[in-house]
Amino acid sequence: MTEQLDHLFEYFGKDIIDIAIQRVATIPIEVPSWGFGRGGTRFGAYKVGTEPVTPGEKIAAAGQFHKLTGKGSTIALHFPWDGKNKTEVRKLKKPLKQAGIAAGSINANLFSIREKGPLTDTIRFGSLTHPHEKVRDASVKHCIDCLDYMRLLGSNTFVLWLPDGTNSPGQMSMYEQSERLEDALLQVSEALVENETMLIEYKIFEPGFYSTAIQDYGRSLYLSWLAGDNAKVLVDLGHHPHGVNVEQIIAQVVRQGKLGGFHFNDSYYADDDLATGSLHPHQLFRIFVNLIEGEMRGYVPVHELAFMIDQSHNIKDPFEELIESVENIETAYVKAMLVDYHGLEGARAAPDPTPADRILMDAFNTDVRPILYESRRNHGLPLDPLSTWRETS
Ligand code: AFD
Ligand code: MN
Ligand code: MN
């Protein structure tokens, strides 16, 4: 292994490799409470009985995950799944402390039917864009309650993914859908104070199969400008139509100072929520290349973005699939750090795309495992977290 590392020192330069070893260890990657449970399809959730169920169990699992991988020092929470009121939310502090992790992004849930109040099954017609004012008001209130939970738990990131949409052209005026959304969103953004961030997620479809209220990055970006400095765009990798160039979206949003973070996952068809990097590792690499280029150009530093894994684990063990995802993210990030950006700039300026692409592939084709092992060794982590987990659990 030392030999392989020496070879990398020689080929890329010791400085570059040392930075990669250090930065891959410190890039924060958040895990979601819901990702430790087993997800389902509309045909069923095939639970095997070993999955954590209560919020406390999920937080404990996240603590183990953090000890094994060094990632997941914060956990994304989802309300009311992880707590229905302040008393329940306050109760999360103890398991978080015991697990040695902190609360990360706070996710509003505007798609689950509540036991009491206006958010009955009528939310199939929308939440912030519902035709009835009292449902819109209750939905805004839920978001504002989430801001209270965020402060209670010491977090400063609120995530809004809006399930609102329609299933047929007659269902709702698209003008009214837009107006209601903007009115409601402004009420939420006005409740934010300095250093608090609202990340606005977009998604092309589902559960609405005809229109979605925040359907693409253009809408999300416009809303984030409307909502002010606290609002930014959240890119969930599974939320685009086929063939969309996600890294180009990234460069454009970064240039506007509006990229807030990511929900990582991979997909073959749509929002499949499969393991990040399991299908499109080169896309993940290109995304990191664009983030690093943005940082080099003086835009947002990569480590200031919110990186979260948002996946639904239906077949594989959720804990193991999260480890796999973290390793794929680390791998893509390290490969992107090995790109000869100076050489790339020269080849692009020439312009000579052939060597430019060779520079990218040279980094992408490098076996970066010695770098990952070294960074884990430096932090007292198991070199192969998945094998260690299988041996010890
Ligand atoms: C759904 C959405 C979206 C969101 C997540 C948590 O597709 O990705 O982030 O729920 O609310 O999967
Ligand atoms: Mn998401
Ligand atoms: Mn999704």
Side-chain angles (χ1 to χ4, degrees):
M1 197 49 63
T2 340
E3 226 172 83
Q4 284 168 289
L5 205 57
D6 281 344
H7 170 73
L8 291 171
F9 283 157
E10 218 171 283
Y11 191 79
F12 290 98
K14 189 165 183 307
D15 293 3
I16 300 284
I17 302 298
D18 281 343
I19 291 170
I21 292 171
Q22 189 261 325
R23 284 185 56 141
V24 73
T26 53
I27 185 173
I29 303 174
E30 188 164 305
V31 289
S33 66
W34 60 97
F36 286 96
R38 194 173 291 273
T41 67
R42 58 180 147 162
F43 302 102
Y46 304 102
K47 298 201 197 288
V48 301
T50 52
E51 308 87 357
V53 176
T54 64
E57 288 167 2
K58 290 175 186 169
I59 290 170
Q64 284 180 295
F65 188 85
H66 178 53
K67 282 191 193 88
L68 265 175
T69 63
K71 300 303 174 196
S73 58
T74 58
I75 179 170
L77 298 165
H78 211 299
F79 298 104
W81 286 344
D82 293 321
K84 290 189 189 64
N85 49 50
K86 278 194 190 170
T87 315
E88 287 189 18
V89 172
R90 218 170 268 124
K91 284 194 187 138
L92 300 175
K93 287 188 180 188
K94 201 172 152 192
L96 282 168
K97 197 166 172 218
Q98 282 169 344
I101 56 174
S105 59
I106 301 301
N107 293 255
N109 178 328
L110 292 167
F111 51 86
S112 297
I113 297 170
R114 310 301 203 261
E115 286 156 19
K116 286 185 289 188
L119 304 182
T120 61
D121 59 85
T122 193
I123 58 172
R124 72 186 184 280
F125 297 117
S127 60
L128 298 180
T129 68
H130 194 281
H132 297 164
E133 194 176 358
K134 76 169 188 201
V135 177
R136 297 201 295 276
D137 288 349
S139 304
V140 168
K141 185 180 178 300
H142 170 64
C143 294
I144 292 178
D145 285 345
C146 283
L147 298 182
D148 287 340
Y149 303 161
M150 174 182 86
R151 291 163 193 148
L152 232 162
L153 294 170
S155 161
N156 60 3
T157 307
F158 168 67
V159 173
L160 179 68
W161 170 67
L162 194 66
D164 293 36
T166 63
N167 267 26
S168 61
Q171 190 180 333
M172 187 183 287
S173 153
M174 289 176 181
Y175 292 88
E176 281 176 348
Q177 183 185 57
S178 300
E179 283 162 17
R180 290 172 190 155
L181 170 58
E182 288 167 20
D183 284 352
L185 200 73
L186 282 175
Q187 292 177 54
V188 180
S189 65
E190 274 160 19
L192 290 163
V193 300
E194 221 188 321
N195 298 324
E196 291 180 346
T197 307
M198 169 164 69
L199 301 179
I200 307 171
E201 206 170 337
Y202 58 89
K203 177 170 167 175
I204 181 160
F205 81 119
E206 203 196 21
F209 291 106
Y210 171 62
S211 81
T212 296
I214 311 180
Q215 80 278 20
D216 59 23
Y217 95 93
R219 186 70 179 133
S220 209
L221 185 57
Y222 173 75
L223 292 170
S224 74
W225 279 116
L226 190 77
D229 289 346
N230 301 75
K232 296 212 163 121
V233 175
L234 188 147
V235 178
D236 183 312
L237 298 187
H239 289 190
H240 309 85
H242 279 187
V244 163
N245 185 334
V246 179
E247 55 272 28
Q248 187 176 27
I249 292 176
I250 287 162
Q252 292 171 355
V253 180
V254 161
R255 283 188 67 243
Q256 298 188 41
K258 280 293 190 183
L259 185 68
F262 289 87
H263 275 180
F264 283 133
N265 51 64
D266 216 335
S267 59
Y268 207 67
Y269 299 103
D271 192 22
D272 308 330
D273 287 337
L274 303 175
T276 314
S278 61
L279 291 156
H280 306 298
H282 196 273
Q283 183 198 40
L284 198 57
F285 163 73
R286 297 194 302 273
I287 287 171
F288 276 111
V289 167
N290 274 277
L291 292 178
I292 292 172
E293 184 180 339
E295 177 175 320
M296 291 169 79
R297 287 176 179 272
Y299 297 110
V300 62
V302 177
H303 289 211
E304 281 180 21
L305 295 165
F307 294 108
M308 216 274 287
I309 298 174
D310 183 15
Q311 293 172 177
S312 173
H313 310 280
N314 303 333
I315 311 289
K316 285 184 186 168
D317 176 78
F319 195 97
E320 293 191 354
E321 202 161 21
L322 283 169
I323 297 179
E324 180 189 343
S325 305
V326 157
E327 291 202 291
N328 290 347
I329 295 166
E330 291 174 334
T331 302
Y333 183 39
V334 170
K335 288 182 176 189
M337 284 189 277
L338 300 188
V339 169
D340 171 9
Y341 288 92
H342 185 68
L344 190 60
E345 206 184 325
R348 283 170 172 178
D352 196 358
T354 302
D357 287 322
R358 257 194 116 151
I359 287 170
L360 291 177
M361 289 312 287
D362 199 30
F364 182 73
N365 287 331
T366 304
D367 180 359
V368 298
R369 283 174 295 182
I371 296 175
L372 298 184
Y373 296 151
E374 188 63 12
S375 95
R376 290 175 190 151
R377 201 190 326 273
N378 290 346
H379 288 79
L381 296 167
L383 301 197
D384 178 0
L386 193 50
S387 302
T388 305
W389 172 245
R390 284 219 164 186
E391 282 154 20
T392 55
S393 65

